[in-house]
Amino acid sequence: MRAEEIERLVKISREHPLMPETYVPWKEEPKETDLYLPEFLTSLQGLPLYDKLTRQQKIDLGRHEVVQVLYSYGWGEALFCVFMAKFLLELPPDSPEHRFLIREIIEEYRHQEMFAQTITRVNGLPLKQNMLHKLSGTISTKYLPADYLFMGSLSVELITDMYGNSARRAPEIYVVLRKVFELHNIEEGRHIHFTKGLLEKYTANAGYIKKSLYSFVILMNICFVRTMYVRKEIYERIGLQNPDAVFKQASKNFKLKFTQNCLGDIMAFVNSWGGFNTATRWAWRWLLKADV
């Protein structure tokens, strides 16, 4: 990006900040008819079992699952902050890029606080990462170079943005959630301009091997995040019998729906810089049933 474009983004961030404290109507109580997640995104929708759920069970299913989405949102933002902190070390402190990243880090941490407050507002109790999740996160943040961490963080953003965009456009969703996702979408729209510049920097001179490795990093991050959304404990919480069997059905159902509903933007992104090739296509087809 040109220096003047970055300066414009810095100015917007300083002069027109969106503060969750005033932008989100935190005091608004949910209506009896409000949902927390569009039904087509819930793990059980599409199964015969879903039609047997009570109205309250459907609402609670969406509430527990959106909490997992918010939790992964915050996790993805934290990963991106680690990337930006690493990238900052490579920039002179008086450069426009350095000043923009400082502003972006401020906003990303503010988003993390907003997601945590939203979880509290909907009476959520997020199911934490398991040992495999924690190990993967530790390896990513401690040992991956900045460009690989960037790719992984961006893939998480693309997944969670799909959920956020669907929720903010749905009038039946609780207004606090819609405004949270709306605020995040507006500020991420500014960040994406800078992100595209970084993407071009990393992929312009990348050869076959590096592009393949980028593709595998993104694929692994997608599979990693996907496992955070469907959890057996959720079915226990909404009072379903035999939650182990429900979990197996839900996992299979969710994987199919995830491929149908969530992969479009990610596949376009990977394809834009040549991430699908002989070395990577088999893995995308095997793990995500992607049509590549």
Side-chain angles (χ1 to χ4, degrees):
M1 289 183 68
R2 298 192 305 271
E4 56 267 26
E5 292 180 295
I6 299 174
E7 293 287 5
R8 181 177 61 83
L9 294 175
V10 171
K11 183 178 180 182
I12 293 173
S13 178
R14 284 177 176 166
E15 297 181 0
H16 302 285
L18 296 178
M19 306 303 293
E21 292 81 5
T22 55
Y23 193 89
V24 180
W26 296 107
K27 294 183 180 180
E28 286 284 338
E29 296 290 337
K31 301 173 185 175
E32 289 187 4
T33 55
D34 279 349
L35 299 178
Y36 295 88
L37 189 66
E39 290 185 274
F40 79 94
L41 289 175
T42 59
S43 62
L44 296 179
Q45 188 271 339
L47 292 173
L49 174 62
Y50 188 73
D51 296 328
K52 298 178 182 179
L53 300 182
T54 66
R55 174 68 179 173
Q56 189 59 51
Q57 283 177 317
K58 291 178 180 179
I59 292 173
D60 286 340
L61 174 67
R63 182 169 63 86
H64 289 303
E65 293 192 342
V66 83
V67 164
Q68 294 305 113
V69 172
L70 290 165
Y71 179 55
S72 66
Y73 243 144
W75 176 80
E77 301 270 307
L79 269 186
F80 208 58
C81 286
V82 173
F83 155 73
M84 288 187 287
K86 286 186 175 183
F87 188 52
L88 274 175
L89 298 176
E90 304 174 8
L91 300 172
D94 59 341
S95 67
E97 292 89 349
H98 189 282
R99 287 185 285 108
F100 177 79
L101 284 177
I102 292 294
R103 299 302 308 178
E104 188 166 347
I105 287 173
I106 291 170
E107 291 177 355
E108 298 288 19
Y109 276 116
R110 201 159 60 213
H111 293 166
Q112 291 174 57
E113 182 186 33
M114 177 177 69
F115 297 142
Q117 186 173 351
T118 308
I119 289 173
T120 301
R121 186 67 186 86
V122 302
N123 298 315
L125 184 62
L127 295 160
K128 304 295 179 65
Q129 300 167 340
N130 59 33
M131 290 303 296
L132 184 59
H133 291 144
K134 292 177 181 178
L135 178 62
S136 175
T138 299
I139 292 173
S140 297
T141 53
K142 284 190 175 183
Y143 303 113
L144 282 185
D147 54 340
Y148 290 91
L149 187 56
F150 168 77
M151 290 293 180
S153 302
L154 192 55
S155 62
V156 176
E157 284 279 340
L158 288 170
I159 296 171
T160 47
D161 277 351
M162 185 272 166
Y163 276 77
N165 289 335
S166 297
R168 70 184 176 85
R169 293 168 182 156
E172 70 272 17
I173 300 300
Y174 177 34
V175 64
V176 166
L177 283 165
R178 283 193 282 114
K179 297 301 283 186
V180 163
F181 290 133
E182 184 176 279
L183 182 153
H184 186 256
N185 178 261
I186 293 170
E187 292 201 324
E188 288 300 308
R190 296 200 296 266
H191 298 171
I192 199 66
H193 290 291
F194 192 80
T195 300
K196 284 181 179 179
L198 281 178
L199 179 62
E200 291 173 2
K201 171 186 174 182
Y202 288 140
T203 59
N205 299 316
Y208 184 89
I209 293 176
K210 178 161 278 193
K211 287 181 179 180
S212 298
L213 291 173
Y214 284 164
S215 185
F216 279 119
V217 166
I218 292 168
L219 175 62
M220 290 300 103
N221 271 273
I222 293 170
C223 293
F224 172 84
V225 171
R226 191 176 63 175
T227 61
M228 295 176 66
Y229 292 174
V230 181
R231 303 287 291 271
K232 181 186 74 172
E233 294 87 342
I234 291 176
Y235 311 119
E236 294 173 344
R237 289 177 180 179
I238 67 174
L240 296 183
Q241 295 182 346
N242 200 349
D244 287 303
V246 174
F247 174 70
K248 290 179 181 178
Q249 292 183 60
S251 296
K252 184 176 180 180
N253 184 53
F254 182 74
K255 288 177 181 177
L256 292 173
K257 294 176 65 175
F258 186 91
T259 298
Q260 293 169 0
N261 299 321
C262 304
L263 279 188
D265 288 346
I266 296 169
M267 290 175 63
F269 162 65
V270 175
N271 190 55
S272 68
W273 43 264
F276 295 129
N277 55 44
T278 305
T280 62
R281 283 194 186 93
W282 67 271
W284 284 82
R285 291 168 179 165
W286 177 46
L287 292 174
L288 294 180
K289 302 298 185 288
D291 184 17
V292 294

